[in-house]
Amino acid sequence: MVEPTTFVLFGATGDLAKRKIYPALYNLFLEEKLPAAFSLVGLGRRELSDEVFRANVEASLRQFSRRQPADAAKLNEFLRAFRYSVLDIGCKEDYEKLLRMIEQREQALDLTPNRMFYLSVGPEYFETIADNIQASGLGSANGWKRLVIEKPFGHDLQSARELNEKLSRAFEEHEIYRIDHYLGKPMVQKLEVLYQSNPVLQALWSNRHIANVQITASETVGVEARAGYYDHVGAVRDMFQNHMLQLLMMLASNLPYGSNSDTVRYKKKKVMEALEPLSKQDVHAHVVRGQYTAGTLQGKPVAGYTSEPGIGPDSMNDTFIAARLKIDDFFWRGVPFYIRTGKRMSEKATRIVIEFKEPAMQSSAVSHTGKTPNLLIFEINPVEGIILQLNTRDPQQQGEFKPIRVDFYEGNDNAPEAYESLIRDAMHGDPTFFAHWDEVELAWQWVQPILEAFQENLVPLHRYEAGTQGPAAAHAMLAEDGFRWWFDE
Ligand code: BG6
């Protein structure tokens, strides 16, 4: 049973709201996962009537929802909860007006004043909105209040700390839900369960048996129409500091059975604390910075980064990053974790590959021609699956090994989107799959020397052709350790 909720959406006419938030709410509604008593107030700069606002929401469902609004009565029932109010983010009177409107709705619908403030706006507005929520009394009703925000949470360690400091004047940590949509991906959420409920995995999950771990999030898209944002953040801030380190935490936290959200967050924090820090001078030895040049992708020529609209010809921005990380704890000491992410790579894929050691290799009397390490692969996106690569014998070729794959693919094309489970969890007050400030701060702390080394050009910027799996230097980094990236062929 979800408690009555008023969903206050800042940025109600924006792109994220249309593409993700309305479709997520609609699908939750169809599955009866929205609170029975639910009211949504959309806020934006533009004047809109409630009718036009609802029509816009409906249009976004038709375009982006995984289920089409086929039943008119159901759709109207959903849209009845939607109201719109114009709001200038910096204008105090607008918040007072909003408070009166929300109070009237709460009284009319007999709603407990539980209010969820979802900031689907640029991070430069977070502070002003949080302050005004507090000053207007919007956040001091006799129910709960929650703040939902999206990355980026700061631009570096210092700005992240300042932002957090400001937000914490109006909201306590337990009231802040920081969305990292990678934590909403079904396979990422399953990592915890797979480890906890499979003794066979638990037995293997450490430096005793694991040779290395590879986490890849490759994208085929380039900078798209986001030059203004992306050219200032690069892959390191856009993907690495948040999504990639969250994947690392989820994989390496060895959660005990029955962990609750506190344990999950505690264990993730422990992973970050155990990460061996890099000094600015060492960054070049463990981090590869890349930028795409013109190339061919899926048979079509594509421009290089510096020829993209809005990007200067001298931009040194990173569109690719690969790093070698070490976790200095009981489970993982000595196991390299290789992480890479980039734009304009050869395929769209988010996957984790766990390569196992081969203790028998040296002593085996049998010829090991063709033998490959055992691999466990988690396919996260766009397909979801688990694959185990084993060796068997090829009956045709005496004495030769043949790798086989035992695989499971999630066949549901209509699986819920990350935003559905995250919005539902935020309404339920379950913070398990949201980023805690401690994790965010530790992630910035780890990344800070990389930001500085990039800024000061202490690390070369390797070019890679669009449509490839990144610069040669990223391959050389694994080769130094006697490994290679799997599935780059
Ligand atoms: C976003 C980044 O957070 O994640 C984008 O800002 C990136 O640059 C996107 O394209 C990737 O998400 P997904 O779910 O498509 O892997």
Side-chain angles (χ1 to χ4, degrees), residues 364-432:
S364 171
V366 201
S367 147
H368 34 255
T369 331
K371 189 172 173 190
T372 54
N374 285 162
L375 303 175
L376 178 64
I377 301 135
F378 297 109
E379 292 286 356
I380 295 170
N381 192 31
V383 287
E384 206 192 305
I386 304 172
I387 300 129
L388 181 61
Q389 180 168 291
L390 303 169
N391 286 295
T392 180
R393 197 177 296 286
D394 188 337
Q396 313 295 333
Q397 310 277 335
Q398 269 247 318
E400 298 246 331
F401 288 102
K402 179 175 128 184
I404 53 154
R405 298 209 183 148
V406 184
D407 59 34
F408 161 78
Y409 287 98
E410 194 64 71
N412 185 0
D413 289 346
N414 201 14
E417 288 221 19
Y419 275 83
E420 287 174 42
S421 63
L422 292 175
I423 291 176
R424 186 201 56 212
D425 287 354
M427 281 192 289
H428 274 270
D430 179 352
T432 313

Side-chain angles (χ1 to χ4, degrees), residues 2 5 28 34-35 38 116 144 146 423-429:
V2 200
T5 306
L28 289 171
L34 277 191
F38 177 77
M116 190 160 120
W144 51 249
R146 292 180 192 140
I423 291 176
R424 186 201 56 212
D425 287 354
M427 281 192 289
H428 274 270

